[in-house]
């Protein structure tokens, strides 16, 4: 079976997978989202603001919203680009009729129902604290992901400036915390690495199929994961034809990963995590090495993942032996997973791939806002992978 087979699938008029082809390739038919449209919002457009629209995650939100039947862009902010049309920042969005960029201090939220907050870490707390209470918010920064505000200060530097708001925030790993997200006002959208790592590990930990000790994670990301700001280490000549580790032992996603896995295990989980920067624009792969519980086989891990995600549209467990590739998720909200036996007896290798800007950021954010607003969570997310 070709590992690029995801790129050959087409949608019918209802935007559903070709059922027979999907069943043949992935062993399960497409199942439509069970989330029903709420009567209060199904007949009107939700007016959406994007705060920080000049960054990669902001532009990706806008790209995805272009195909959303219920969400309309009403407000775009970018303080350093205030007064400019968005096309001067992102020419690829020039076909869309969009408002000009304005500074956040000049934003009028009276005609906005929900916002995607795509601002840098550390600046978001004060801004969200000052937003009107009627707004539904999905925050793509790390500012509300860690429940323990002392842990936030340890890993991100300054003290948390909105501790009361932190208590309200719901962590937005959609497939794991769907019911909590539905009733949230503020959702802390997960980081890209934590998404690619928790999706395969949480079901296995909950089922007691793997040991919570000796989890080793080798993860690689495209350069867009570092954001759009000008940095010497992200110049073309610094990145191309090479690979480098960064944040060794102290990457800021470590406490977020461990928080989610600890919740699943109901016991403290500590992982060994090393991220790497690779010379591509987008895409992420996490290769995870785990020790199986006594008496557990590779087939048990595989079947648990298949069972856990059989009704999920955006998490796909590939057929036995098929290796996930970042090419197969580029530009989409999908996470592809598979598990393999290690040469070391009793250990397994799990491979997970996502697009770091979509399922790892803006796509999952849209999935979460769909849930909050009572819409099917797949609205606006029917994109096929880009290949080549």
């Amino acid at each position: 079976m070709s590992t690029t087979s995801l790129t050959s699938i087409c949608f019918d008029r209802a935007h559903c997978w070709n059922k027979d082809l999907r069943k043949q390739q992935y062993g399960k038919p497409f199942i439509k989202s069970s989330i029903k449209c709420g009567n209060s919002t199904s007949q009107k457009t939700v007016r959406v603001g994007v705060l920080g629209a000049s960054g990669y995650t902001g532009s990706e939100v806008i790209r995805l919203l272009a195909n959303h039947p219920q969400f309309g862009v009403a407000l775009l902010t970018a303080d350093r680009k205030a007064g400019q049309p968005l096309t001067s920042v992102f020419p690829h969005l020039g076909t869309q009729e969009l408002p000009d960029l304005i500074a956040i201090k000049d934003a009028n939220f009276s005609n906005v129902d929900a916002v995607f907050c795509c601002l840098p870490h550390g600046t978001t707390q004060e801004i969200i604290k000052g937003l009107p209470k009627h707004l539904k918010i999905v925050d793509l920064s790390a500012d509300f992901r860690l429940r323990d505000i002392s842990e936030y200060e340890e890993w991100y530097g300054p003290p948390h400036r909105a501790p009361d708001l932190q208590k309200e925030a719901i962590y937005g790993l959609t497939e794991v915390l769907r019911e909590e997200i539905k009733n949230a006002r503020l959702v802390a959208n997960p980081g890209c690495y934590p998404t690619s790592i928790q999706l395969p590990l949480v079901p296995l930990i909950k089922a007691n199929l793997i040991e919570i000790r000796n989890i080793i994670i080798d993860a690689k990301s495209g350069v867009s994961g570092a954001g759009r700001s000008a940095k010497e280490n992200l110049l073309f000549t610094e990145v191309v034809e090479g690979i480098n580790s960064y944040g060794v032992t102290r990457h800021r996603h470590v406490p977020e990963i461990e928080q989610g896995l600890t919740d699943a295990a109901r016991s403290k989980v500590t992982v060994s995590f090393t991220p790497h920067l690779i010379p591509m624009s987008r895409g992420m792969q996490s290769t995870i090495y785990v020790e199986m519980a006594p008496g557990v086989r590779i087939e048990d891990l595989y079947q648990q993942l298949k069972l856990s995600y059989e009704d999920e549209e955006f998490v796909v467990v590939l057929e036995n032996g098929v290796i996930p590739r970042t090419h197969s998720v580029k530009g989409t909200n999908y996470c592809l997973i598979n598990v393999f036996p290690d040469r070391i007896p009793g250990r397994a290798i799990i491979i997970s791939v996502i697009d770091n800007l979509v399922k790892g950021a803006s796509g999952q954010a849209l999935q979460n806002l769909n849930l909050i607003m009572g819409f099917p969570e797949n609205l606006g997310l029917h994109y096929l992978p880009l290949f080549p």
Side-chain angles (χ1 to χ4, degrees), residues 94-230:
T95 59
Q96 305 302 302
E97 293 185 8
L98 296 165
D100 288 345
L101 299 166
I102 62 171
I104 290 179
K105 64 179 179 63
D106 297 325
N108 178 2
F109 292 100
S110 61
N111 293 318
V112 178
D113 302 303
V115 297
F116 293 99
C117 194
C118 305
L119 298 166
H121 311 314
T123 65
T124 304
Q125 298 153 30
E126 291 284 358
I127 289 171
I128 290 182
K129 189 165 62 172
L131 292 177
K133 298 300 181 183
H134 76 275
L135 291 176
K136 304 294 187 180
I137 304 164
V138 180
D139 177 30
L140 282 78
S141 81
D143 280 9
F144 293 97
R145 293 174 189 164
L146 301 179
R147 292 192 299 269
D148 186 341
I149 59 173
S150 64
E151 197 165 38
Y152 176 86
E153 182 175 355
E154 176 187 349
W155 289 85
Y156 285 88
H160 201 286
R161 289 176 285 179
D164 291 338
L165 201 55
Q166 176 63 64
K167 297 174 185 176
E168 180 185 348
I170 299 296
Y171 187 67
L173 191 62
T174 318
E175 285 77 13
V176 175
L177 293 164
R178 179 175 283 117
E179 294 306 312
E180 292 88 340
I181 294 165
K182 286 181 188 179
N183 300 312
R185 185 182 79 90
L186 168 60
V187 168
N189 211 59
C192 46
Y193 284 123
T195 295
S196 69
I197 292 162
Q198 291 179 86
L199 286 175
L201 287 185
V202 165
L204 301 180
I205 289 175
K206 285 184 174 180
N208 298 312
L209 294 178
I210 61 174
E211 302 287 356
I212 61 173
R213 64 176 186 269
N214 297 329
I215 297 175
I216 301 170
I217 305 161
D218 180 300
K220 299 173 176 64
S221 175
V223 182
S224 59
R228 204 183 188 210
S229 60

Side-chain angles (χ1 to χ4, degrees), residues 254-331:
V254 167
E256 183 183 345
I257 295 165
E258 293 181 346
Q259 174 180 268
L261 300 186
T262 295
D263 289 347
R266 299 184 179 182
S267 179
K268 178 62 178 175
V269 177
T270 302
V271 301
S272 177
F273 170 68
T274 305
H276 305 78
L277 189 68
I278 58 177
M280 64 183 188
S281 60
R282 61 166 80 204
M284 174 170 287
Q285 174 174 313
S286 290
T287 304
I288 307 166
Y289 304 87
V290 298
E291 181 180 342
M292 292 182 284
V296 172
R297 305 164 302 153
I298 286 290
E299 183 62 20
D300 298 325
L301 303 189
Y302 182 79
Q303 290 302 327
Q304 182 62 44
L305 289 171
K306 293 281 281 189
L307 178 65
S308 299
Y309 293 118
E310 64 180 352
D311 293 340
E312 295 293 344
E313 179 170 357
F314 293 119
V315 182
V316 179
V317 181
L318 300 179
E319 289 299 292
N320 275 314
V322 178
I323 300 174
R325 304 177 69 220
T326 57
H327 274 315
S328 299
V329 294
K330 186 176 182 181

